[in-house]
Each structure stands twice: as C-alpha cells, then as structure tokens.
C-alpha cells in the first residue's frame, strides 16, 4: 500500500476529540510520587533474602560442576583398568580372577622337587606386578592412552602365560619323578 493512500484514509478523521480533565497532570505526578515512596512488594524480608538465595544458588552450581569434574577425573585417573570403562572393568576382573586361580594352583604344587620353579615363578610375578604398578602411574599421567592400556593388558596376559608355563613344567617334573618313569632310559 502506498503511504499517500494510507495518510488519506486517516486525514479526515479526528482522533483527538477528548481533552484530559483539569488537574490531570497534577494527579498523575502525585500518583508517581506515592508509588515512589511505597515500599517494594515483599518488604524488607524479600530484600534481605534475595542476595542470600542468589549466592546459595551460585555456590550450589559451582559445587555441582566441580564435583562432576572431580568425579570424572577420579574415575579416569584411578590408575587401573577398572576405572576406564565397564568393558575394561570386566576384562580386569577376568584376568585378576584367572591369575589368582592359577597362582593358587602353583602355590599348591610347591614341594621340594618343584620349589626352585615355584620360587622363580613368584619372583617373576613380583617383577610383573611392579611393572603393572608403574603402568598404573603412567595411566594416571597419560589419561586414557591406548598404548598404556594395551601394555597393562599385555602384562596381565604375561602373568597368566608365566603361571601356565610353570604349571606345565611342574607337571613334567611330576611325570619324570613318577616311579613308573624312573626306570625308562632315553
């Protein structure tokens, strides 16, 4: 629509037909002054509590955010496979249970004939355990570096392999010490 046509529509109409009553401005100014002198809604109690509530809300948000960050980093920096993910926790539990079982078998086979092998196996296990502790420290420092995680899993596998090899050697020694086999010549 053209502005000229728009202006023509309202040109003939007079919308300014009513004049304000006498004293209108004075009444309006008096109402403004009265409104200005009136205490705010909610009174002084609301005025006192609003900054306290605002500070409490800010502190709550800060604590929640900080707790979330600390909780996340403490899980990821626990230094063990179990703290990385649920899958790694299952893997860690599987290997540790298997190592515990195999180690119990090796210790149960301790006898004068196998004492040297068992003692050597326990020393090797101690070295692997020390290496694993160093890897845990590396995992804390590096976050979730896949190379460190892989090295930790390899360490657990090496322990199991060591214990299985020791058990095989013990079985071989037992067979050689068997009275039926002592008369055989090679």
């Amino acid at each position: 629509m053209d502005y000229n046509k728009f202006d023509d529509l309202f040109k003939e109409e007079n919308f300014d037909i009513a004049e304000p009553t006498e004293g209108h401005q004075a009444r309006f100014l008096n109402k403004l002054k009265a409104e200005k002198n009136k205490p705010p809604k909610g009174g002084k109690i609301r005025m006192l509590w609003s900054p306290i509530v605002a500070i409490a809300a800010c502190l709550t948000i800060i604590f929640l955010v900080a707790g979330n960050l600390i909780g996340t980093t403490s899980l990821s920096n626990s230094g063990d496979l179990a703290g990385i993910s649920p899958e790694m926790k299952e893997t860690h539990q599987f290997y540790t249970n298997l190592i515990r079982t195999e180690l119990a078998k090796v210790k149960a086979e301790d006898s004068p004939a196998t004492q040297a092998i068992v003692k050597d196996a326990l020393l090797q296990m101690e070295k692997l355990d020390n290496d694993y502790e160093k890897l845990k420290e590396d995992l804390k420092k590096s976050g979730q570096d896949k190379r460190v995680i892989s090295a930790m899993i390899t360490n657990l596998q090496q322990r199991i392999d060591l214990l299985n090899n020791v058990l095989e050697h013990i079985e071989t020694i037992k067979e050689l010490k068997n009275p039926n086999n002592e008369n055989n010549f090679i």
Side-chain angles (χ1 to χ4, degrees), residues 64-79:
L64 289 175
V65 170
N68 191 19
L69 291 174
I70 290 170
T72 303
T73 55
S74 70
L75 279 178
S76 65
N77 288 337
S78 67

Side-chain angles (χ1 to χ4, degrees), residues 2 11-12 14 30 37-38 41 61-62 67 84 91 97 132 142 145 154:
D2 207 8
K11 192 180 227 180
E12 297 172 8
N14 186 7
N30 286 337
N37 293 333
K38 215 185 237 188
K41 292 182 181 177
I61 291 172
I62 289 170
I84 295 173
T91 303
N97 287 338
Y132 190 79
S142 70
D145 188 4
T154 302

Side-chain angles (χ1 to χ4, degrees), residues 26-38:
R27 286 191 307 274
F28 182 75
L29 290 175
N30 286 337
K31 284 184 182 179
L32 278 178
K33 285 180 187 175
E35 201 59 38
K36 184 179 177 184
N37 293 333
K38 215 185 237 188

